[in-house]
Amino acid sequence: MSLQIARGRDAKPPLRSVRSKTDLRPQLQEATKAPAPKAPEKRAALRFPVNSKTRAFYKTFYPGTSTIEWNNWRWQMRARIRSLEELGRVFRLSADEYDAVARHKGSLPVGITPYYASLMDLKDPSEPLRRTHITTGGEYVRTPGEDNDPLGEDHDTVAPGIVHRYPDRVLFLTTGTCSTYCRYCTRARVVGNPGGEYQFSMKQWEQALAYLEVHTEVRDVLLSGGDPLTIGDDRLDWLLGRLRALKHIEFLRIGTKVPMVLPQRITKNLVSILKKYHPLWMSIHVTHPNELTEETTESTARLADAGIPLGSQTVLMKGINDDIAIMKPLMQGLLKRRVRPYYLYQCDPISGSAHFRTKVEKGLEIIEGLRGHTTGYATPIFAVDAPGGGGKIQIAPDFIAGRDGDDLLLRNFEGGVYRYPDPGGKLGKGKPKLAAE
Ligand code: SF4
């Protein structure tokens, strides 16, 4: 039985143009409410690039679809691949994928924008982007130490959607909707669930804002979700305006995967809204170099041109990106697009994530493979988000080789040991002394 049938939704595949009213979920209605694109919007849609692989894909699987529709983010949202039938129409599913999707119930459903599907391998279930978005049997295997809320966010929730853990900053879970659903999502328990705790609701937003109004120690708000960029322009404008009106909030950040999986969402109108609320920063969730297309070059350029400082966050995953030959071009490709690699995360021990998780030393190996071998700007911070609410803990390779009297011995990226005069220092004492040149 498909996911959509299980939830009583329309299971028809979007064989041709996808029109509105195919989906009745409230938060999706928000994305579909807007009227048909007006002339300038149509011209803008035509100006958005479509890479050749993606063009061939949509001509095959969405044959009646115009470029204007394809480049309309609301169309992409409505046409998301969300059922077994739709998956089967596009992908050659393995038996494992088929069974795992059929078994799924509850939050974190399958959801893939047609654009993002066009970047995946349609036949090979081991292809990285596909593995991160189509359910497999591994999700049903629970291993020790895993949890549905591994970071203890529910415990630190002080108002609807507000997680207040650190002294001067909060996480604001603005919506439970994403354009695509990642199988390793830390918030698997709350995203994509029509009845979920963090679905969009003005009443909840008002309660969250009321909390922030009185907590004047909060100077930094990270808007996340779900994905805040799935919220329509008017509501996002309203929310950012209300936050910006709070004088003690100095700094707004948006955490999003949209520029990579739904780049068409980065419209001129959205950018003009975001620009009003500087200083506004953005952390873009990026997984693999295959995401670096003409479309994502355009989406990141539009954001960077609007003066929005862009950082990336990447989850380290087994068989997906746990190889320096993948990670280095990813980080360098981001820099070329004016996105500063910010965090490389050890995969959180969310329930059913063992098939994605690497050993922690793999992250150190990746950082060692970047540090000194490419520009420092391309080297992110490797961090473990400590289970139980401990927060992010940076883990870095140890470049201290020891001490020789007043000299600190340091190891460089090639393994050479060098002396630094450090009279009276203690750093390096007790380490086995390595020979310095
Ligand atoms: S986009 Fe972010 S919040 Fe949404 S499923 Fe992926 S990781 Fe989770």
Side-chain angles (χ1 to χ4, degrees), residues 108 178 180-182 185 191 225-226 257 285:
L108 201 76
C178 300
T180 57
Y181 290 106
C182 316
C185 178
V191 297
K257 193 166 173 62
H285 175 174

Side-chain angles (χ1 to χ4, degrees), residues 102-309:
R103 271 177 76 185
H104 186 88
K105 287 190 178 68
S107 55
L108 201 76
V110 167
I112 309 171
T113 56
Y115 162 75
Y116 202 52
S118 77
L119 308 183
M120 298 177 181
D121 192 298
L122 306 185
K123 295 184 183 146
D124 179 6
S126 69
E127 185 271 320
L129 299 186
R130 172 170 169 165
R131 269 195 63 209
T132 58
H133 281 77
I134 299 183
T135 319
T136 60
E139 274 185 42
Y140 301 96
V141 179
R142 245 344 241 273
T143 60
E146 293 181 348
D147 198 280
N148 291 343
D149 178 19
L151 306 186
E153 289 180 340
D154 290 344
H155 177 263
D156 290 328
T157 297
V158 290
I162 298 284
V163 180
H164 195 171
R165 172 173 302 153
Y166 301 103
D168 69 342
R169 54 201 186 277
V170 298
L171 173 66
F172 188 170
L173 304 178
T174 53
T175 173
T177 302
C178 300
S179 51
T180 57
Y181 290 106
C182 316
R183 306 321 306 167
Y184 50 87
C185 178
T186 302
R187 304 203 180 99
R189 70 194 185 285
V190 289
V191 297
N193 184 350
E197 196 176 347
Y198 303 118
Q199 294 305 310
F200 165 78
S201 140
M202 286 305 256
K203 192 171 151 221
Q204 286 181 336
W205 279 5
E206 286 288 5
Q207 289 170 319
L209 289 164
Y211 177 87
L212 293 174
E213 256 164 40
V214 294
H215 284 268
T216 52
E217 74 277 18
V218 176
R219 47 173 291 283
D220 171 5
V221 176
L222 169 59
L223 289 90
S224 184
D227 198 315
L229 295 189
T230 60
I231 297 169
D233 287 357
D234 291 349
R235 287 191 173 93
L236 194 58
D237 194 7
W238 180 90
L239 182 61
L240 291 171
R242 286 287 301 268
L243 287 166
R244 190 36 84 228
L246 301 177
K247 294 295 168 225
H248 55 282
I249 294 176
E250 299 167 6
F251 183 55
L252 296 173
R253 288 183 285 161
I254 292 179
T256 176
K257 193 166 173 62
V258 155
M260 291 294 126
V261 296
L262 180 60
Q264 301 80 3
R265 171 67 182 110
I266 312 303
T267 60
K268 300 270 163 74
N269 194 49
L270 174 69
V271 166
S272 68
I273 290 168
L274 298 177
K275 267 170 86 165
K276 293 192 294 182
Y277 301 110
H278 279 313
L280 183 142
W281 293 50
M282 195 172 280
S283 290
I284 304 176
H285 175 174
V286 185
T287 304
H288 192 277
N290 290 355
E291 293 175 333
L292 303 179
T293 60
E294 287 170 50
E295 288 87 334
T296 59
T297 299
E298 179 71 19
S299 63
T300 50
R302 288 182 180 194
L303 292 164
D305 287 348
I308 300 171

